[in-house]
Amino acid sequence: MNREPEVLSKTKFDLAVIGGGVNGAAIAREAALAGMKVALVEARDFASGTSSRSSKLIHGGLRYLKQYEFQLVREARRERRLLARVAPHLVKPIPFLLPIYAGDPDSPLKIRLGLTLYDLFGGLGKKDRHRMLSVSDAVRRVPRLKREGLRKAAVYYDSLTDDARLTLEYALDAAARGAVVVNYTEVRALDVSTSQVTGGASALGPGAQGYGPGGAPEVVRAEAVDKLSGKSQEISARFWVNATGPWVDHLRALLPGYDGSKTVRLTKGTHIILPSLSGPYAILAPIPSDGRVFVLMPWHRCSLLGTTDTDYDGDPATVRPEPADVEYLIAAVNRVLARPVEAGEVVGAFAGLRALAVEPGRPGEGSPSPSENTREYRFHEDPWAGNFISVCGGKITTARSLGESLVARIAPRLGIALRGPSSRHEVLPGGQTGPFEVYVDYASWEAVRMFKVPIEIAERIVRTYGSRWREILEPVRDDASLAEVLPGTPSLLAAEVEFAIRSEMAVSVEDFLLRRSGLGWLSRWKLRGAVPRVAEIFASRLGWSAERRIAEADSFARSTAQSL
């Protein structure tokens, strides 16, 4: 995937997708699979917003059953099954332990009934079904679990993912299928014209909907700026999708006629990183004080604890964890731990924004709490832009399904008959593995044999990149220095930095460490020793000056210090 922003001005696209988070990337892939000419532009890096700051889960949403969102749970459980097939390297089933204490809002019977329904909505086979546990069995599985007051427990299954890499692979596959995909390209103006639509006929072709007798205005082009070069690019397209997440209403404000309405509700979710607390098990448990739940996930030999859910009205680009968020999460998890977590054990924290679809009747009295707000996605159309749809809400889990639904909605309005392979069956770039654990064992030892790398490094690379692992290691044959482990890391190789630059459109130290390495936000705190060497590789590959190299390393260090 090469970064070629100048191509944006040379093509008339069927569809331009603005926003390179998981929804935008999945939409672009879906449209490219359908044979459309597609552009995907992202103002920063792919997954640099919400899509790299999630709970790292592909899940059905067990708690949504209590909100009677059965359709959402059914769709999410189906998507988990599909993603396990098309991205086995990125979707790993993990057991969740759900302890049930005296005073909890739900009894063991209610939990059993809920999990039975969850299983009925679909899993990955018999081994994926829930089981009820005795107190002694639960404590044996998670020794740190508090025994006092524990009535019973349950084990059920969802999946862990690398959210940033999942987003990236949607974008990679879109590009491989002909889409023009560009990061660090910001749309700053939208040109709307009514001249193309006359006498009630739409320029979008047969099947167009929602046009008044005089013809609705249409977005005909966008002015975008390449933030790396400062050059302007003009994008022309027949249809436009606004998939900018927390910035959805900011982009709508560029449309003439915008009335100031809001289509998304921003809520902040904070996660903290702790030493491993529960071994291979995730823990889901209620927070009786406010009716929410917390989730504790095993993550790179640490534990990831989240999440808060509070309304946010600040600048989306400046969201960050606050001390109160950290205190809230520590108090929540300590309720179920025999030995409490201390604040000093927190390795790091990050915060992201959910762009939830505004529900009818809000704002005002009777508005649902942030946690009660629907997680379903919705497509919003403004009457002052007949070929422009804004995506509101959605989840990492349902991004593929969202893209499928949206493209099916757009295609008739463009006069395009859907054709080509289905995203339900087409694997993502690293997904050609077959049974994944068997593949990991074979490929890891093959990497050791072919490239003389230690087995633990080989296995991590296979688990991170799936069937693309050879592309990372092949350059080691000609340049042995690429097999060097980056300083301060247990297993990251210089070859991975070079690969991210060459094939994954990484243009900064942060792009690699936070969103390409597979280690995500752990890199910001625990792997800071790698930063100078990573910056050196970027400088050599991209022709940075010594001043630029130092500035990049300093910028990453400053952002680390300010993150908590």
Side-chain angles (χ1 to χ4, degrees), residues 400-446:
R400 189 217 62 84
S401 178
L402 181 156
E404 183 179 62
S405 298
L406 185 54
V407 169
R409 179 171 177 162
I410 291 170
R413 296 166 66 167
L414 289 170
I416 293 176
L418 290 177
R419 63 184 189 277
S422 168
S423 63
R424 298 188 179 206
H425 307 295
E426 291 293 299
V427 298
L428 287 172
Q432 299 193 22
T433 66
F436 187 59
E437 292 303 325
V438 174
Y439 182 85
V440 169
D441 184 61
Y442 163 78
S444 298
W445 286 108
E446 187 74 354

Side-chain angles (χ1 to χ4, degrees), residues 63 100 105 246 261 296 316 378 404 440 470 560:
R63 71 180 182 87
I100 309 166
S261 62
L296 182 78
R378 293 177 181 169
E404 183 179 62
V440 169
R470 286 185 180 83
T560 301

Side-chain angles (χ1 to χ4, degrees), residues 161-232:
T161 191
D162 180 337
D163 50 5
R165 288 210 66 86
L166 180 61
T167 301
L168 180 67
E169 290 210 11
Y170 280 134
L172 285 167
D173 204 39
R177 298 176 187 277
V180 177
V181 176
V182 185
N183 57 358
Y184 292 100
T185 301
E186 182 179 4
V187 171
R188 295 185 178 176
L190 295 170
D191 185 7
V192 176
S193 172
T194 59
S195 61
Q196 290 189 354
V197 184
T198 59
S202 171
L204 293 177
Q209 303 172 20
Y211 295 90
E218 294 181 351
V219 178
V220 292
R221 64 185 62 85
E223 179 190 329
V225 175
D226 178 358
K227 296 168 73 173
L228 303 184
S229 69
K231 294 180 179 179
S232 292

Side-chain angles (χ1 to χ4, degrees), residues 51-98:
S51 298
S52 61
R53 304 169 191 233
S54 76
S55 294
K56 321 298 182 189
L57 292 176
I58 299 297
H59 68 117
L62 180 61
R63 71 180 182 87
Y64 304 146
L65 292 177
K66 295 183 71 173
Q67 298 168 211
Y68 305 107
E69 294 201 72
F70 300 127
Q71 180 178 339
L72 174 61
V73 177
R74 184 183 294 108
E75 178 184 26
R77 291 288 278 178
R78 180 198 70 205
E79 290 303 302
R80 175 176 174 252
R81 293 195 303 276
L82 290 175
L83 287 170
R85 292 201 301 266
V86 304
H89 58 308
L90 297 176
V91 179
K92 176 187 177 184
I94 57 168
F96 275 71
L97 192 144
L98 197 164

Side-chain angles (χ1 to χ4, degrees), residues 258-278:
Y258 175 63
D259 62 0
S261 62
K262 300 296 181 184
T263 61
V264 294
R265 176 186 187 180
L266 303 186
T267 72
K268 184 176 76 168
T270 294
H271 294 79
I272 62 177
I273 304 169
L274 296 163
S276 179
L277 299 176
S278 56

